[in-house]
Amino acid sequence: MSNSAQIRAAIASIVNSVDGAGLFHDREKYSKTTSKLKEFYVTGAVIAGGFVRRVGRRKESPDAGHTFVVFSTWELHYFRSFQEDEDSEVGFDALLDAMDAAFDADQTLGGTVDTIVTDEQSGLRLLTSQPAMFAGFLVHYAKLRLISEHSESA
């Protein structure tokens, strides 16, 4: 049986394995000060990172036995600084594609879930990609969705 903390850690581990992804956390990091907040998401001179949040969970009982199928919906929030001397948006898209490929390569999140391929979607789904302000800086921002499925005994 997987719990949400194990699944969160597996999601963060996969994102952190992507070259250039920065500092991705298994939960949202908060701080009252901008300088402390930047410590959570700045690597070198670049804001790059994010966090995962569980936004949905449903449990089904497909048979008369006492095994449930649990579907959890996760949102991944990702930020990256605009790069003035580069084609920043194209590079951001390439990084999101690399994240998607990393999840395609590990569809059980390191064995913590049965699958991330469900009837509803397969792998990561890009919900939004847009400019945003983060810690006083203009950044690229993406919100992605992932659905995991695992079994639990009653």
Side-chain angles (χ1 to χ4, degrees), residues 13-153:
S13 178
I14 290 170
V15 174
N16 283 319
S17 75
V18 174
D19 189 40
L23 304 169
F24 195 86
H25 302 281
D26 62 358
R27 65 197 177 287
E28 188 166 6
K29 298 281 200 161
Y30 291 101
S31 178
K32 293 178 183 178
T33 67
T34 301
S35 61
K36 182 68 175 171
L37 183 63
K38 286 196 284 187
E39 286 179 26
F40 297 134
Y41 301 104
V42 173
T43 178
V46 176
I47 296 171
F51 60 91
V52 63
R53 173 180 288 138
R54 185 171 64 174
V55 297
R57 183 177 190 269
R58 85 174 190 275
K59 190 186 294 190
E60 297 178 357
S61 182
D63 55 41
H66 293 289
T67 300
F68 298 101
V69 177
V70 179
F71 298 90
S72 296
T73 304
W74 306 91
E75 283 186 355
L76 288 70
H77 299 266
Y78 184 73
F79 311 92
R80 185 162 182 88
S81 305
F82 271 82
Q83 305 298 306
E84 291 181 28
D85 298 332
E86 301 174 20
D87 197 348
S88 198
E89 185 175 354
V90 173
F92 185 70
D93 284 347
L95 193 54
L96 298 178
D97 291 344
M99 287 179 195
D100 186 46
F103 282 97
D104 286 347
D106 186 355
Q107 296 181 355
T108 65
L109 306 181
T112 61
V113 300
D114 296 330
T115 188
I116 57 169
V117 177
T118 66
D119 290 340
E120 194 171 334
Q121 78 181 51
S122 175
L124 287 179
R125 172 187 258 170
L126 178 63
L127 300 176
T128 189
S129 179
Q130 64 192 39
M133 293 300 290
F134 181 78
F137 293 92
L138 183 63
V139 297
H140 297 283
Y141 166 71
K143 180 167 55 171
L144 305 113
R145 179 165 291 154
L146 182 74
I147 299 174
S148 64
E149 175 184 329
H150 70 275
S151 300
E152 285 184 3
S153 299

